[in-house]
Structure formats: structure tokens, C-alpha cells
Amino acid sequence: MIYNRAMAYTSLYRRYRPDTFRDVIGQDHVVRTLVNQIKSGNIGHAYLFTGTRGTGKTSVAKIFSRAVNCLSPEDGSPCGKCEVCRALAEPSNFDILEIDAASNNSVDQIRELTDKINFPPTTGRFKVYIVDEVHMLSKSAHNALLKTLEEPPEHAIFILATTEVHAIPATILSRCMRFDFRLVPLKKIEERLRFIFDDNGVKCTDQALRMIASAGQGSVRDALSVADMCVSYCMGDITYEGVLEVLGTSDPVRLTALADDILAGNVDGALTKIAEMSDLGKSMSVLAGDLASLFRNALYVKNCGNAAELLALPAELFAALKEIAGRYDTRRLLAALRKMTETEGEFRYSTQHRILLEAAVIAAATEPRAAETGGAGIKELEQRVAALAKRVGALPKQGFEPAPAKKDAGQVWRRVASELTRMGRRMLGIALAECRAEEKEENFTVRVFSESAMQMLGEPGARAAVEEALKASGCTKPLVIEEERKLDEKDVVPFLTDLFGKSLDIK
Ligand SMILES: Nc1ncnc2c1ncn2[C@@H]1O[C@H](COP(=O)(O)OP(=O)(O)O)[C@@H](O)[C@H]1O
Ligand SMILES: [Mg+2]
Ligand SMILES: [Zn+2]
């Protein structure tokens, strides 16, 4: 149990990078074509891999670049045993070059690379260049790359990978064989997670597993990051409640009850539930997002025959949605969804998140009645809202008040996490939620102790996003990120002996 906790510090998605095509899940269409090329020896000079992050682009590029060189590929995959495979497994080899265009995007760096391309490979048949995030190259760097793509030497293969295919110039697109990586189906992610958990002796209930898999939203890497956080959070066996807490997702039972109140026009009940959730420390902007996705999902259930498949939700959540979808009509659900998404946008300009959410909920709960009763009804409605607002002591009489002067750093940080979610960086928000924050005189310091969080922060644009989120959360001090000492597998024994003394017997 304790051993698992320490293990979690080496991120799962790095330990479980597939080494062969057999281990790649959910990309059968890509794998089949590449394997056939290896088998027939009919290999191209330029490939473009596109698709959402964490769906296997880099992994497949690495496998392919070893497979084209392997002396005796096994079913199209690198054997891992021959001298070439062994040489190419060394990160210092000269034949497989990985370039991250996000950090090496200048024309000089591309020139340097393309200058060297004329030298033949040192170990295998091919020199393979993997250019990750190729859309980040500057215009002149693109042109330099294009020149090489036009007339590559026989021994060169380019694999370009990108999440933003629309940002790739047509001149480059037209020279590449293109492979679109798909979102990985929930079932496949579940199977992979189960395999990885079993491999590590981690127990996890089916319900919890499903929740982790669906949090990845089709990205294996994101699902594995969530799994990582759950392993360290739960310190052993992973429970459904633990996963919900890691994800910061609202308890589905409460959330469904709240949605039901809103749709039924029960303002009183809805405000009481919001108050309870607020007292529990629930972020109001996250709650607004959760409500919006619930209404959206209910609309799917109501209007799409294959909603179960599309939404890929745990069974009991789906059943609750079905009930809601059955009780209310599409117009009603749509109105509630509109109100919530509208409000989500406003969170960035306000620090009074609870008030904002309450106002939106009241509006959503009473909307159709206002429309039905016309002008006179609105007056009555306003009075009702004012009376209610007074009772919960929340709504100020006029407009929104400025931010309260004193906030504790934890609160600010939680807001940063939900702000990141709002900015479309949900994984980053989740990963950073468990960091420790401290507001100092001269800066806002955040201590990060998970490797996956640190890794995510290192991604292009991540730090800038956190800085923006911090500003939006009302803190103007500069952001300082400190990394806590990582615990590696080799550190586990000293860590445990530290904790329990030398007598401890670890297998
Ligand atoms: N299709 C997949 N099959 C198995 N594992 C995957 C797949 N896609 C991603 N992963 C996991 O996520 C990690 C990151 O994947 P990566 O290939 O770098 O994705 P991308 O380049 O598309 O962002 C891998 O190390 C692996 O653990
Ligand atoms: Mg990648
Ligand atoms: Zn080999």
C-alpha cells in the first residue's frame, strides 16, 4: 500500500509508453497501414500524424522509427533484441532525432538539422526525424523544412506530429502521408488502465476505473495522469469517492438534485443546495461548468439514439441523466444550458462567483415563467428574486461589489484551478489543484510535488496560462513555481526506512 504511494511519483504515462504496435490502443487504422508498410518495405519519406494530445502520435512515431530500422521486425513491430534495436534504444543514438518544434522553432535550428541530414545513418538503414508540435515552427523554419521535404535523401524519413493540423501550410500537407489519430474509446482506455493497475498491484473499483477513464475524454495520456493523481491521493486502493475528489467533480447525486431543482423551477431548493456545496468548499465556477455539462448531456440523452456511447459515462450517472431527460422538454433543457454557458463566460470578469452562479440559477429556474407571463410577470419575478436574495444574504442591491480585500492563498489557488478549467486547460487545473500555494510579500509561490503536474507545466503555453489564471483570480503578484524533491522508485527504500526505521523488510 505504502509502496504504491511512493511509486506514483514516476508518472504512469511515461512508464507505460507502448514499445510495440501491439500495445497501441484505439488507433487500429493507423497501425494497420504502418505495419503493412514495414512488412512490404514500402516506406514513405514524410508522414504527418495529427490528433488530440495523448492519443499516441509520439509513441507511434517512435515505434515506427525503430521498426523501419529493425533487422527482424516481429509482425511489423521492432524486435527490441537485434543490435540495431539495442543501439536505437540509447537516447544518445544519432539516427532517431526528436525535435520539439515548440522550443526549437527558429530557422537556424531547422537549418542545422537539415544540414546534417545528408550524412548517412550510423546504425540502421534510415535516419528518422520526429518533429513534434510542427505547427509551432516559424514561417522561415517552415520554409527550410519544406526545402528538405521536397528532396529528401533516400535514407531520411520525416515524421511530423501536430495537434493543430489546420495550422500546417498546404505546401507541407501535400508532401506528407497523413494519419489522423482518433480519440480512444472509453472501453479501450478502461482495459489499459486495468492492465496498468494490475501490473502495479493497485486495487480500483470498476466504478472508479470508469470515472478515471472517462476523465481522459479520449486521451490515454490524460486518463493516465488522472490515474497517477488518484493513486497518490488514495494512497492505495482507489475508490469512487477518491476519484471524484481528485477530479474536483461535484458529487453526481448532489449535482443531479440541484439540476432537477433548477429545471423544476424550485429556486428555494436550488439556492439551499448551492449554499451547501459552497460550504463544502466547492468552486462555484467549476459547479457552473458541471451544471452546464449535465444539461448538455441530458440534451444528448433526449435527442441522440447513441447517447450512451457518445457520453461514455458511468452507468449510474447515465441512469440519473435519463431520468432528468425524461422529465423535461428540450426547450427547457436548452434554456438552462444557455444560461449556464453564458455565466461561465462571466466568471472571468467577476470575483463574486457564488453570486454570479446564484443569479444564473435563479434566472434559469424562472425563465419560462417570465416569458409566459409577460411584462407584469417580470415585476413580480424581480420582487421574488429580491426577497430570496435577501433571505440567503447573497445578492448585493446594485451590481457586483469589488473583490474582498483578504483572501487566503489556498482559496486563490482553487480559483486558479477552476479558471484554468474555464480556459480549456482542465487537466492542468486538475493537476495543479493538489499543489501548495502561499502568498508572500513579493510573489505568489506554488509548490509542485507531482511529476505529472511539473511535466504539464513544462508544456508550451502552460505557464502563461497559469499566470493568466492567477491574474483573473485577483492576484497580481508574480508567480513563482517551486518543484518539491521528486520521489523516484530508487528512492523508495530510503524513503520507507526513513519513515519506519531500518527494521522494515521490503521485498
Ligand atoms: N494509443 C495509445 N495506446 C497506448 N498508450 C497511449 C496511447 N496514446 C497515448 N498513450 C499513453 O500516453 C502517453 C503519451 O502519449 P503520446 O504518444 O506522447 O501522445 P501524443 O504524442 O499523441 O500526445 C504514452 O506514453 C502512453 O502511456
Ligand atoms: Mg506527442
Ligand atoms: Zn530489432
Side-chain angles (χ1 to χ4, degrees), residues 15 32 46 60 310 333 397:
R15 275 200 290 148
R32 201 176 312 126
V60 169
L310 277 175
L333 290 166
K397 279 197 201 77

Side-chain angles (χ1 to χ4, degrees), residues 12-14 16-18 23-27 51-60 132 181 184 192 220-221 224:
L12 289 175
Y13 74 82
R14 291 215 300 176
Y16 287 88
R17 190 183 278 288
D23 294 333
V24 175
I25 56 170
Q27 309 298 355
T52 315
R53 67 185 229 117
T55 49
K57 299 181 296 296
T58 306
S59 308
V60 169
D132 230 331
F181 283 62
V184 178
R192 181 83 180 152
V220 187
R221 175 180 167 164
L224 289 180

Side-chain angles (χ1 to χ4, degrees), residues 336-498:
L337 172 60
R338 281 223 185 90
K339 197 71 224 160
M340 283 306 134
T341 40
E342 245 170 63
T343 310
E344 267 191 286
E346 287 166 28
F347 275 107
R348 96 178 292 169
Y349 304 109
S350 165
T351 47
Q352 303 279 46
H353 287 186
R354 178 165 166 191
I355 296 173
L356 208 54
L357 179 66
E358 285 170 338
V361 161
I362 293 169
T366 47
E367 205 163 52
R369 250 168 285 160
E372 281 155 24
T373 46
I378 289 176
K379 188 100 215 127
E380 200 187 298
L381 184 71
E382 275 172 4
Q383 283 166 356
R384 219 177 134 220
V385 169
L388 267 167
K390 210 164 155 199
R391 198 163 64 83
V392 296
L395 278 170
K397 279 197 201 77
Q398 269 159 351
F400 295 135
E401 279 161 7
K406 190 92 186 90
K407 281 166 281 164
D408 82 273
Q411 239 170 354
V412 175
W413 193 241
R414 275 195 296 280
R415 193 169 293 160
V416 168
S418 54
E419 197 61 39
L420 285 166
T421 306
R422 206 196 43 68
M423 289 161 61
R425 290 190 171 261
R426 180 159 159 273
M427 290 312 299
L428 192 60
I430 293 172
L432 294 182
E434 39 170 341
C435 304
R436 239 175 294 143
E438 191 187 340
E439 182 157 4
K440 297 187 176 166
E441 197 66 53
E442 67 286 8
N443 63 41
F444 192 89
T445 303
V446 179
R447 241 169 252 124
V448 184
F449 31 91
S450 101
E451 192 189 333
S452 21
M454 215 50 216
Q455 206 115 33
M456 277 187 222
L457 271 171
E459 280 169 16
R463 199 193 155 100
V466 178
E467 281 166 351
E468 190 189 329
L470 184 62
K471 269 209 199 79
S473 308
C475 174
T476 49
K477 290 181 185 171
L479 174 71
V480 173
I481 294 173
E482 283 176 5
E483 185 176 7
E484 292 270 289
R485 199 180 73 89
K486 271 180 282 185
L487 214 49
D488 222 327
E489 251 164 286
K490 66 178 177 345
D491 298 329
V492 170
V493 174
F495 167 75
L496 292 181
T497 31
D498 241 22

Side-chain angles (χ1 to χ4, degrees), residues 70-72 78-82 85:
C70 174
L71 298 176
S72 51
C79 73
K81 288 173 288 212
C82 70
C85 276

